[in-house]
Amino acid sequence: MDQGNEARLRRVAHWQATVDEQESSGLSVREFCAERGLAPSQFYYWRRRLSAVGVEGLPGEVDPEVGKTPAFMELDLERPTAAQKALPLEIRLDLGGGCTLSIRRG
C-alpha cells in the first residue's frame, strides 16, 4: 500500500473513532467539538461521509480486514400463515443522521 493510501486509512480510522466516541459520549455535537477543538462542520462532514457509504464503502481507503461487516444479511424466515399475514407488521431501519425508514403492512 502506498503512503497516500496509508494516510487516507489513518484519516478514515481517526474520524470513525471520533464519530463513535461522540455518539457514546452523551454530548451534543456542538459540546463534543468544543471540548476537542473541532469545527462542527468538519465533524458533520465526516459523519455524513462515513454513514452515507459505510466505512467499507470508501473505495481504496479502508483495509478490507478492518471493521468489515456484511453489506447484507440473509434472514431465514418461514412463510407466514394467513393469520400472520393479517397482523400488522412494521420494519424500521435507522439510516443514520436522524433518518429512519419505516415500512408498514396492515
Side-chain angles (χ1 to χ4, degrees):
M1 182 180 311
D2 67 38
Q3 290 180 347
N5 280 340
E6 288 178 16
R8 280 190 294 275
L9 274 174
R10 284 192 301 274
R11 188 169 50 249
V12 168
H14 164 77
W15 279 103
Q16 184 64 57
T18 302
V19 168
D20 292 345
E21 184 182 352
Q22 184 279 325
E23 288 174 352
S24 64
S25 73
L27 298 173
S28 71
V29 170
R30 219 175 265 287
E31 293 168 331
F32 181 84
C33 290
E35 282 187 4
R36 285 156 183 79
L38 300 171
S41 60
Q42 188 177 30
F43 180 88
Y44 284 121
Y45 165 82
W46 276 100
R47 185 173 74 177
R48 184 173 51 253
R49 183 173 181 202
L50 293 169
S51 69
V53 295
V55 174
E56 61 273 3
L58 296 172
E61 294 188 10
V62 177
D63 183 342
E65 299 304 316
V66 177
K68 186 170 182 175
T69 57
F72 293 95
M73 178 181 282
E74 184 176 344
L75 299 176
D76 185 20
L77 302 173
E78 297 176 12
R79 296 235 184 252
T81 64
Q84 290 171 327
K85 287 181 183 179
L87 294 173
L89 173 70
E90 180 177 13
I91 298 172
R92 296 178 60 118
L93 299 174
D94 181 359
L95 302 174
C99 294
T100 305
L101 171 65
S102 295
I103 302 171
R104 294 186 181 129
R105 177 190 74 198

